Amino acid sequence: MSLSGKTALVTGAGSGIGRATCKILARDGAAIVAADVNVKKAQETIDLINPTNVKATSLSLDVSKSLEIKNALQKILELYLKPPSIIVNCAGITRDNFLLKLSEDNFQEVLNVNLKGTFFVIQTFANSIIEYKIPNASIINLGSIVGKNGNIGQANYSASKAGVEMLTKTAAKELGKQGIRVNTVLPGFIKTPMTDIVPNKVKEMFVKQIPLSRFGTAEEVAEVISFLASDKSSYINGASIDVNGGFN
């Protein structure tokens, strides 16, 4: 699947699905901008993909701050002379607690990163893509199965991911006429640093409910993202694609 000649910005690129996405997109020929609030982890991702011989850059980025996103765009324009045609919003956090004990700060922090951050990135980079007349652009946002079904202890995370899915569908309607496709990938239970902290007993309970009888891998999600980034998905817009092993 060739992404040669395309540049991809991946937020949350320092670990998990973001890191796997950088590796898969680079394998498929895209130049990579790996952005993360922890720039050291983003650089580690770049070091892992350098053997693929694509242009790759790490970037410090807190997606909850609109000014940092605008500054990131300017740095990318300086380096690549045009905005990326692939945007992957992987940046996300959890601050889990039962609804009755969830603090206002923890609720707001998750929405600021997961939902507002996705909005800021879409708005800033879509404007630049339109200004530079970049053809066949693709924005892929990370939702979650819990954004459809909810999950105990994740009122904030579930609400943020439900918001991402509806934000995506709205963006797809508004930006499609500008040649920008916008889609959501909805991972189920995926083996990442975010799920590593879940107690084993809880993970075993969920595995029993997954028809494929295992957690997914970050690479399996990244392969779907690469498909959505490519011209092979040229008529897919506003879609929500489950990557969950059949768990519903």
Side-chain angles (χ1 to χ4, degrees), residues 2 23 29 62 64 68 72 76 95 100 102 121 133 138 155-156 170 187 213 215 217 221 224 227-228 241 245:
S2 177
K23 291 164 69 176
D62 180 347
S64 70
E68 287 200 19
I76 293 169
R95 296 289 184 268
L100 297 181
L102 187 61
V121 171
K133 297 181 170 61
S138 178
N156 49 0
T170 300
S213 302
F215 274 30
T217 67
V221 180
V224 177
F227 167 68
L228 289 172
I241 299 180

Side-chain angles (χ1 to χ4, degrees), residues 21 39 58 67 69 72 76 110 128 153 156 168 171 216 222 237 240 244:
T21 297
V39 72
S58 62
L67 182 59
I69 294 170
I76 293 169
V110 168
S128 187
N156 49 0
T168 299
N237 186 39
S240 300
N244 60 24

Side-chain angles (χ1 to χ4, degrees), residues 175-190:
L175 300 177
K177 293 179 177 63
Q178 309 287 345
I180 303 172
R181 295 184 296 110
V182 192
N183 294 290
T184 318
V185 174
L186 306 178
F189 294 98
I190 308 297

